[in-house]
Amino acid sequence: MKLSPLAGKPAPASVLVDIPRLLTAYYTGQPDASIASQRVAFGTSGHRGSSLDLSFNENHVLAISQAICLYRQAKGIDGPLFVGADTHALSTPAAASALQVLAANGVEVMLSKDDEYTPTPAVSHAIICYNRGRSSGLADGIVITPSHNPPQSGGFKYNPPNGGPADSDVTKWIEAKANELLAGGLKDIKCMDHEQALQASTTHRHDYVASYVADLENVIDFDVIRSANLRLGVDPLGGAGVRYWSAIAEHYKLNLEVVNTEVDPTFRFMSVDWDGQIRMDPSSPYAMQGLIGLRERFDVAFACDPDHDRHGIVTKNGLLAPNNYLAVAIDYLFKHRPQWRQDAAVGKTVVSSGLIDRVTARLGRRLYEVPVGFKFFADGLFDGSLGFGGEESAGASFLRKDGSVWTTDKDGLIPALLAAEITARTGRDPSQAYAELTAELGEPFATRVEAKANAQQKALLSKLAPEQVKSTELAGEPIEQILSHAPGNNQAIGGLKVMTANGWFAARPSGTEDIYKIYAESFVSEEHLQRLVAEAQALVDAAIA
């Protein structure tokens, strides 16, 4: 990973996106459905792209919205559809385009009160609250966001009635139908004028802020936070939760300072990420320089990405790595939520830290390990069989205090507020809690590296079988397990994970670039980690040669 000279520095004017050009391209671009990069393509979190390269514009949004209407009809989903959008420049026009199609199809749409930006978890929460106790007339939702991706990006994802990200059988159906509509020149799309759509009898307003904020007391212990009178700081990174934080501070009477309330589609207030791009990633020490610089002012501070489904935790020691905080949160929650089911499991992705495995074993809980994708946690969080679901990229959600479902999509706000609860109740901030955990269970050294791979090699890697690995040792230790499918749900991980007693690596092809990624972790040393990576790379290169 080659660091840009701009990494961690304030964004210069030269890297800011040209918003008028971006918006013009949204309305004027004509994607060609015969070109793969210009088609609708649902990844782990919906369809993403940019109007500047014809991968996300009005045509895509109209086609996806019509495809969702057809999917709802086919599945008999006829309750309200909750719509949320973040602060990316393309999200507002995309929300307008989607409404034109949804209203023309007679869908009951729930838009935010006062056109407030809406975080992903607020949409998931709204779907779940509406559907509680119902067996018909179920609600679902759309979230218009490219998550933490750069300012020129747009994104569009569908959440079915379980409130979580749509499973791949659903997204494949929507993707195929949208591309069919795109290839047909949009002639089979129902669409009405935007003003008419806003005035339609099926278009309603929903106060996402008030309903989400008032219900938070059922997930987080605000009494203990308030009584400790902690100095809390939050940077919404110019995201959809910007008004939520002041509402939370006011409602629960917290000593919480929102250090930046600015919303600007160029995100010019960000420090530049590792590769010279602006990226609102709360797990990146380069993107988080602003809040890290204020760490002495607070007992604990936190940030979220534009759609507020990821969290970043800052203590006086700096930014806590996402994997490290997940282990701390799991250890704390399963000791301080007595009403959770005794058999509630811990959910993690295959590339999350082995420290989570050790914490889970010590807690006497079952580990539910799945491929990358939060959709794999949705059903378990929905029925309470999973107490917590977390992924290495700082995405997590967990149950209400009574053991019932809160959200089935990633929620950046509750892990952030949990950091305050942990600090208030234990007298130790999350980085101190992490030091205590590692003193008892071992300290992990982790990294992620990228290596070149063409399309053919990536296809080979995604289909590798354990028996194709001829080595019996990895970094001086016997190989104990080789996985091509996740042990939790037996779903293909799209690569390989190789494990020893004190280390592991996982290799997966990138969905968007000609590279593969190696995730590796050692419980021995930094040197052992480097050896793991070198041998992993040699092993993978030999297997896909």
Side-chain angles (χ1 to χ4, degrees):
M1 166 164 126
K2 189 169 180 290
L3 267 194
S4 162
L6 293 174
K9 298 193 170 105
S14 60
V15 304
L16 300 182
V17 67
D18 182 337
I19 300 295
R21 186 169 153 253
L22 185 75
L23 296 179
T24 302
Y26 175 82
Y27 287 108
T28 60
Q30 294 297 319
D32 182 343
S34 68
I35 299 171
S37 63
Q38 294 178 26
R39 289 164 66 83
V40 172
F42 274 78
T44 49
S45 290
H47 173 73
R48 290 183 187 172
S50 176
S51 60
L52 299 176
D53 56 20
L54 291 175
S55 55
F56 184 96
N57 74 3
E58 185 177 36
N59 289 17
H60 297 102
V61 173
L62 297 174
I64 298 167
S65 302
Q66 183 64 47
I68 287 170
C69 292
L70 295 171
Y71 175 79
R72 297 177 96 240
Q73 285 166 23
K75 296 295 176 185
I77 301 167
D78 55 3
L81 186 139
F82 290 88
V83 177
D86 78 357
T87 54
H88 277 80
L90 291 174
S91 296
T92 299
S97 302
L99 178 65
Q100 290 174 259
V101 173
L102 297 169
N105 280 272
V107 175
E108 301 281 339
V109 178
M110 308 299 273
L111 299 180
S112 65
K113 181 173 177 266
D114 304 324
D115 292 318
E116 185 60 73
Y117 299 111
T118 309
T120 288
V123 174
S124 180
H125 174 265
I127 295 167
I128 285 163
C129 289
Y130 183 87
N131 288 342
R132 188 173 287 126
R134 293 176 195 266
S135 55
S136 61
L138 297 178
D140 53 359
I142 286 170
V143 192
I144 300 167
T145 172
S147 189
H148 63 300
N149 284 15
Q152 65 270 26
S153 308
F156 200 101
K157 61 180 190 171
Y158 174 65
N159 287 31
N162 73 357
D167 215 335
S168 44
D169 58 336
V170 180
T171 56
K172 280 192 185 109
W173 194 99
I174 293 169
E175 179 185 298
K177 185 57 72 176
N179 283 319
E180 194 183 299
L181 293 162
L182 210 55
L186 309 182
K187 67 180 186 302
D188 293 326
I189 289 173
K190 292 182 187 173
C191 190
M192 65 166 62
D193 174 77
H194 184 246
E195 196 52 45
Q196 204 184 341
L198 280 173
Q199 302 305 321
S201 61
T202 49
T203 300
H204 314 283
R205 294 289 175 173
H206 177 70
D207 194 341
Y208 289 94
V209 182
S211 53
Y212 179 91
V213 170
D215 205 11
L216 276 170
E217 65 183 4
N218 294 306
V219 193
I220 299 293
D221 189 341
F222 287 101
D223 292 339
V224 76
I225 300 172
R226 198 166 39 246
S227 61
N229 196 29
L230 297 176
R231 289 167 305 149
L232 305 173
V234 61
D235 188 345
L237 302 181
V242 67
R243 309 269 183 277
Y244 283 65
W245 290 109
S246 50
I248 289 166
E250 193 178 329
H251 189 91
Y252 295 106
K253 303 193 168 34
L254 303 181
N255 183 7
L256 172 67
E257 180 188 341
V258 184
V259 303
N260 175 25
T261 57
E262 195 176 349
V263 172
D264 178 335
T266 65
F267 293 88
R268 66 179 69 236
F269 44 76
M270 291 295 300
S271 52
V272 177
D273 205 5
W274 66 274
D275 58 354
Q277 290 217 63
I278 294 176
R279 192 178 284 107
M280 294 66 68
D281 181 357
S283 67
S284 164
Y286 305 103
M288 285 279 281
Q289 280 301 301
L291 191 59
I292 292 168
L294 300 174
R295 65 187 182 276
E296 290 299 331
R297 200 195 288 180
F298 306 110
D299 295 307
V300 66
F302 23 86
C304 291
D305 65 334
D307 71 318
H308 271 50
D309 72 344
R310 295 170 187 241
H311 60 273
I313 309 300
V314 173
T315 70
K316 290 198 165 55
N317 290 339
L319 180 68
L320 198 56
N323 267 315
N324 302 357
Y325 181 59
L326 293 183
V328 168
I330 291 162
D331 188 58
Y332 174 85
L333 282 166
F334 282 87
K335 290 173 179 171
H336 293 89
R337 295 295 187 265
Q339 288 178 274
W340 286 8
R341 279 166 49 170
Q342 286 307 299
D343 63 345
V346 174
K348 65 163 258 193
T349 53
V350 288
V351 293
S352 300
S353 175
L355 184 60
I356 294 170
D357 305 42
R358 296 181 180 197
V359 166
T360 304
R362 190 174 72 170
L363 289 164
R365 295 282 178 163
R366 180 172 64 88
L367 186 71
Y368 181 70
E369 189 171 355
V370 299
V372 173
F374 207 81
K375 62 190 176 192
F376 297 117
F377 300 132
D379 289 343
L381 288 167
F382 189 78
D383 66 17
S385 62
L386 267 187
F388 182 98
E391 56 185 19
E392 75 299 333
S393 55
S397 190
F398 48 90
L399 300 176
R400 293 166 180 263
K401 289 186 280 190
D402 68 2
S404 64
V405 58
W406 168 249
T407 59
T408 48
D409 209 332
K410 297 188 290 259
D411 187 332
L413 293 98
I414 59 169
L417 291 163
L418 183 72
E421 183 188 324
I422 290 168
T423 309
R425 175 165 277 122
T426 66
R428 297 186 305 280
D429 69 36
S431 65
Q432 291 166 322
Y434 175 71
E436 204 167 281
L437 264 190
T438 54
E440 295 166 19
L441 299 175
E443 183 182 359
F445 300 85
T447 191
R448 191 184 94 184
V449 296
E450 294 166 356
K452 289 277 177 216
N454 60 32
Q456 188 185 357
Q457 291 169 324
K458 283 164 59 181
L460 280 170
L461 174 55
S462 68
K463 293 181 173 66
L464 270 187
E467 52 271 19
Q468 287 172 262
V469 176
K470 302 303 180 196
S471 313
T472 55
E473 277 198 352
L474 178 67
E477 290 190 312
I479 291 173
E480 293 187 349
Q481 224 180 346
I482 303 173
L483 303 174
S484 59
H485 288 69
N489 59 0
N490 202 34
Q491 296 271 347
I493 61 179
L496 271 189
K497 183 175 183 179
V498 180
M499 301 156 79
T500 69
N502 290 295
W504 60 269
F505 82 83
R508 294 175 65 240
S510 166
T512 53
E513 300 168 84
D514 282 338
I515 56 170
Y516 69 83
K517 297 173 185 178
I518 289 179
Y519 302 79
E521 184 175 61
S522 163
F523 278 86
V524 180
S525 65
E526 188 63 46
E527 293 73 33
H528 184 249
L529 175 67
Q530 295 313 320
R531 192 175 161 193
L532 262 173
V533 171
E535 291 188 23
Q537 215 159 331
L539 191 148
V540 172
D541 288 344
I544 65 174

